Amino acid sequence: MIVQTARFGNIEVYPDTTWDFSVPILGFEEYRSFVGITQEDSPFEFIQSLEEGNLTFVLTDPFVFYPEYEFTLEQRWRDILQIEKEDEVIVRSVVTVRSPSDITLNLKAPIIMNPKSRKAAQIILEQSVYETRHPLNKIEDQEGRHADTVEK
């Protein structure tokens, strides 16, 4: 199937790259079908709505930037997403870019994906210390320098 998008132009979509959001992304409840678009050599990826060509989210693996990030996935989410084993889980955070010096991750409401069932959901971590705006520009890399999150 070919999908027309504002950000990527016409893209060919294959079933093994699509995600069905059983529980939609907050504020975008009417959109449930997305295609994943990865970038080589980048910690960032995209999910593009299949229903709205102008709707794209930037995602990242939160553990790349916050290795200590942890939470327990409740059984109800395991059931909804048909997760049977831990290795059937991909965790992503929505990235918000307000400016090159103001880039944040939403650790309060991660996107949980099951690559086996192709189901996904944005969940809210009710009892957590995480917030919706964790900065990327304040993270230091392993050598103690500030990580360059904008360009390489």
Side-chain angles (χ1 to χ4, degrees), residues 56-71:
T56 306
F57 292 96
V58 180
L59 304 181
T60 195
D61 179 345
F63 303 103
V64 169
F65 298 98
Y66 288 90
E68 73 285 356
Y69 182 55
E70 65 177 30
F71 60 91

Side-chain angles (χ1 to χ4, degrees), residues 23-91:
V23 176
I25 295 173
L26 299 169
F28 297 90
E29 287 76 13
E30 62 272 24
Y31 306 109
R32 293 182 174 257
S33 297
F34 289 82
V35 61
I37 301 170
T38 59
Q39 292 188 307
E40 283 189 39
D41 301 325
S42 173
F44 304 103
E45 58 193 74
F46 301 92
I47 54 170
Q48 168 67 53
S49 170
L50 296 177
E51 295 125 338
E52 171 54 63
N54 292 312
L55 182 60
T56 306
F57 292 96
V58 180
L59 304 181
T60 195
D61 179 345
F63 303 103
V64 169
F65 298 98
Y66 288 90
E68 73 285 356
Y69 182 55
E70 65 177 30
F71 60 91
T72 301
L73 189 61
E74 295 175 17
Q75 186 60 48
R76 69 182 173 121
W77 294 117
R78 292 173 185 267
D79 295 342
I80 289 169
L81 299 175
Q82 301 173 352
I83 296 169
E84 297 171 2
K85 297 183 268 181
E86 256 185 61
D87 64 348
E88 294 176 352
V89 177
I90 295 172
V91 178

Side-chain angles (χ1 to χ4, degrees), residues 109-151:
I111 293 178
I112 309 301
M113 306 164 122
N114 180 345
K116 185 176 175 185
S117 68
R118 305 305 300 171
K119 293 189 176 293
Q122 184 176 36
I123 68 170
I124 299 173
L125 303 177
E126 299 288 346
Q127 304 297 322
S128 78
V129 297
Y130 301 114
E131 300 174 7
T132 58
R133 293 184 179 181
H134 284 266
L136 288 186
N137 60 341
K138 292 184 181 177
I139 299 170
E140 295 189 348
D141 68 13
Q142 294 175 353
E143 283 111 34
R145 297 171 293 168
H146 286 289
D148 181 359
T149 58
V150 179
E151 40 187 14

